[in-house]
Amino acid sequence: MQQILIIEDDTSLNKGLCQALSSEDRQIFSCTNLQAARQQLACFKASLILLDITLPDGSGLDFLVEVKTDFPDIPVILLTANDTDFDIVSGLELGADDYITKPFSLAVLRARVNTQLRKHPICNSQTANSIITIDNFSFDFVHLTFLVLGKPVELSKTEQKLLSLLVENRGNIMTRDVLTDRIWTDGSEYVDNNALSVVVKRLRDKLNASDYIHTVYGIGYKWDKK
């Protein structure tokens, strides 16, 4: 499954980007500052990053250098309000794969995102490691097939996102805030506090995974065998 990280401090534009790039085979994660972006990248490897150059807690160009040092295969598209040659050349020389100046057409942005994802198929789909087998479970997050004891289980898009986050971070506690932010990434301003608990219960019941999906009271959840 493609995982796109959007780093843009304009909340309206951020929401629009999330909606424009959403699809069934993608998870969209968004944040409005570099601190949150670093926390996101500590939890998962993005298929592509959309990066605003000017952010409230630092320079997007400095963050670009960090990304390309630690994850040179992740494509980065810069979003900038500055269309001077200096800004464009600086970004490209620091390793950016593409750039787009504001204001821009969302259709053009989608095309450029799709082009970069096609150029980076390993980062895009992670096909080689698409199937995760854990005891009686077999999860394929690329083709969206989920088996328990060899029998298929139908999961909603929200349940798929939750399962992906728990399994990819198995053994580690995922806080409620992090799970909520990364599951409901459509720009919704309000998510009911009980929504996550409901999705966790549904997923646990569908997979018969009460021995694997654990509640860490007052903190969050984790995937770990008892």
Side-chain angles (χ1 to χ4, degrees), residues 69-169:
T69 299
D70 296 334
F71 309 103
D73 56 337
I74 297 180
V76 178
I77 298 177
L78 295 178
L79 305 176
T80 175
N82 302 315
D83 58 358
T84 65
D85 287 346
F86 176 80
D87 292 306
I88 294 171
V89 171
S90 295
L92 294 174
E93 288 185 341
L94 290 173
D97 297 87
D98 200 355
Y99 69 91
I100 188 166
T101 56
K102 304 173 186 176
F104 50 79
S105 160
L106 291 178
V108 171
L109 179 66
R110 279 194 294 267
R112 292 192 174 185
V113 166
N114 291 335
T115 296
Q116 290 302 322
L117 290 172
R118 286 194 298 271
K119 287 181 178 179
H120 299 79
I122 295 177
C123 206
N124 168 11
S125 65
Q126 300 176 351
T127 302
N129 299 311
S130 66
I131 300 177
I132 298 175
T133 301
I134 305 171
D135 298 338
N136 297 325
F137 306 100
S138 179
F139 305 134
D140 186 338
F141 292 103
V142 172
H143 301 99
L144 303 180
T145 57
F146 309 95
L147 307 178
V148 179
L149 291 171
K151 297 181 179 180
V153 176
E154 293 293 329
L155 299 179
S156 69
K157 186 174 180 179
T158 303
E159 292 160 356
Q160 292 170 15
K161 287 184 178 181
L162 173 61
L163 178 62
S164 174
L165 290 167
L166 291 175
V167 169
E168 289 176 4
N169 296 279

Side-chain angles (χ1 to χ4, degrees), residues 5-77:
L5 176 59
I6 297 171
I7 309 167
E8 167 60 60
D9 64 328
D10 183 323
T11 54
S12 295
L13 177 56
N14 194 315
K15 180 177 179 179
L17 292 171
C18 290
Q19 294 174 339
L21 296 175
S22 292
S23 69
E24 288 297 324
D25 61 346
R26 285 178 182 165
Q27 289 182 313
I28 309 295
F29 307 111
S30 70
C31 47
T32 58
N33 57 63
L34 294 177
Q35 180 181 1
R38 293 185 179 97
Q39 292 172 350
Q40 293 278 21
L41 282 179
C43 296
F44 77 103
K45 184 177 179 180
S47 304
L48 179 140
I49 296 174
L50 285 178
L51 174 61
D52 187 19
I53 285 183
T54 305
L55 292 160
D57 57 346
S59 167
L61 293 179
D62 291 340
F63 184 71
L64 170 64
V65 174
E66 293 179 34
V67 171
K68 288 300 182 177
T69 299
D70 296 334
F71 309 103
D73 56 337
I74 297 180
V76 178
I77 298 177

